[in-house]
Each structure stands twice: as structure tokens, then as C-alpha cells.
Amino acid sequence: MGRVTSSYMKLLEQWSPTLFLLGGVVLVAFAASLAAIGLMDMSSPRNILAGAGFTLAFLGLFGLCAGLTDRSPRLARAGSIFAVLGGVGFTLTFVLGIAEFVEITPPAWVEAAQLLNIASIVLGFLLVGIASLRTDVYPQSLGVLLFVPAVLFAANITRVAFLGPWTPSWAPFLLGSLQAMAMLAIGYILHDESTPTEPAERPIDRAA
């Protein structure tokens, strides 16, 4: 069982750059849907897009934990737990969005389970970011970028708690756009790090 889990983690580690990039692209669409709601008072499938985008990002985060397990095992394992919880929570967000789209009332526990998302995105990205900064497995810039989704989500939750979900009207679009850019930047750094560079050509020795 342990070997199977390890092989899945290694597979996700290889796909982590792509997962973050795909998640970022979907979250760009999510941010656009927030603009449609806040600025033009239009309905949009925001929960479907948010659920899909963040689920992809959490799969990528889980893959990062595979590369950190040997160098920072405790933080990597804790991060992987929150990555799994986040993946489950945002998958439920995706299901909830589909239910809303087809006008089906989901069970109450599905909405209550969305609370998993708060702890998962804040603690999951923070823990993996700290683990990344404490090791040399990934670039230091990646560790810093991993803090961004956690800080943005915490700021958004605080805003909603004190001001409401759509006050000010531009805030959801701005925070959603920053989340998307953070995921795209994480994916870009990982992709750039995993791309092999061409070896420099050796100069021809003409003094034979």
C-alpha cells in the first residue's frame, strides 16, 4: 500500500507543473466570472470553476510534497494531509456548483464540508512553502510564492467576515485574479525548473 501511494505521489510530482498551470488557467476564468457577478450583475458558474481550479492546484501541491518528503518529512506529510483535504473540499465545491447549475439542492453536509477549504488552503500552502524554503529541493522563489495563495485566501475570508462577499464590488475579482496569477507563476517556476537545459558546446581546440 505504501509503495502504491509513493508511486502516485511521484507521478503527481512529475505532473505538478502542469497541474498548477491548468489550475491557474481555470482560475483566470473563475476571476472573470467574479467580474461578471460584481460589475455586471450576471450569473456565472463560479463554484464549478473555483472547484475545478483549486482541485487541480491541490493535486499539484500534493505532488510537491513527494519531492520534500525525504528532506522535510514532518512538514511534507502535514502539507500532504491538507492537500488531500483541500482536494476533497474543492471537489465538493465543484459538485455543489454543478448542483446549483442544474437547480438541484445538495445535502446540507456538502455545504458544511466547504469549511475544509479554509484550513486546507491556508495551512496546506503555508506548510509546503515553509518546507520548500527549508530545503534546496525547489527554488527559493517557489517557497515564497506558495505563501501567496494562503495569504490571499485568508485576506478574502477576513474581508467577507467583516464586509460581506461583494463589498467592495471589485475585491472578489482582484483577489481571484491574484490567486490565478500565483498558481500560474508556481506552475511556470516548476516547469522551468524541470526543463533540462541544453549543454553548452565545447569550444573546438584548434591548437593541435
Side-chain angles (χ1 to χ4, degrees), residues 51-71:
F54 280 109
T55 297
L56 288 167
F58 272 112
L59 288 173
L61 189 71
F62 188 77
L64 289 183
C65 294
L68 296 167
T69 300
D70 293 337
R71 303 294 296 276

Side-chain angles (χ1 to χ4, degrees), residues 27 30-31 34 54 90 117-118 121-123 125-126 144-161 170-186:
L27 289 176
F30 169 61
L34 294 176
F54 280 109
F90 278 100
N117 299 346
I118 300 174
I121 197 167
V122 173
L123 295 178
F125 277 85
L126 283 179
V144 175
L145 271 174
L146 287 169
F147 292 155
V148 175
V151 172
L152 288 173
F153 202 82
N156 192 46
I157 291 298
T158 303
R159 177 189 65 82
V160 171
W170 48 263
F173 169 70
L174 175 63
L175 292 170
S177 298
L178 292 174
Q179 286 280 19
M181 288 189 288
M183 299 304 180
L184 289 172
I186 291 170

Side-chain angles (χ1 to χ4, degrees), residues 119-206:
S120 298
I121 197 167
V122 173
L123 295 178
F125 277 85
L126 283 179
L127 288 170
V128 180
I130 293 170
S132 180
L133 288 174
R134 291 181 61 180
T135 68
D136 57 358
V137 177
Y138 302 113
Q140 293 292 292
S141 56
L142 177 67
V144 175
L145 271 174
L146 287 169
F147 292 155
V148 175
V151 172
L152 288 173
F153 202 82
N156 192 46
I157 291 298
T158 303
R159 177 189 65 82
V160 171
F162 286 97
L163 300 177
W166 302 105
T167 305
S169 60
W170 48 263
F173 169 70
L174 175 63
L175 292 170
S177 298
L178 292 174
Q179 286 280 19
M181 288 189 288
M183 299 304 180
L184 289 172
I186 291 170
Y188 175 80
I189 288 177
L190 288 170
H191 185 271
D192 186 61
E193 180 71 10
S194 62
T195 301
T197 56
E198 292 292 334
E201 292 185 3
R202 295 179 61 182
I204 300 175
D205 187 4
R206 300 186 181 277

Side-chain angles (χ1 to χ4, degrees), residues 46-134:
R46 65 184 186 278
N47 281 334
I48 296 176
L49 295 170
F54 280 109
T55 297
L56 288 167
F58 272 112
L59 288 173
L61 189 71
F62 188 77
L64 289 183
C65 294
L68 296 167
T69 300
D70 293 337
R71 303 294 296 276
S72 186
R74 291 183 180 178
L75 287 173
R77 287 168 187 162
S80 66
I81 291 172
F82 284 109
V84 170
L85 291 176
V88 172
F90 278 100
T91 297
L92 290 176
T93 300
F94 178 77
V95 173
L96 180 62
I98 293 177
E100 290 175 347
F101 187 74
V102 298
E103 299 182 350
I104 295 176
T105 302
W109 66 267
V110 174
E111 296 190 18
Q114 303 303 289
L115 296 175
L116 285 173
N117 299 346
I118 300 174
S120 298
I121 197 167
V122 173
L123 295 178
F125 277 85
L126 283 179
L127 288 170
V128 180
I130 293 170
S132 180
L133 288 174
R134 291 181 61 180

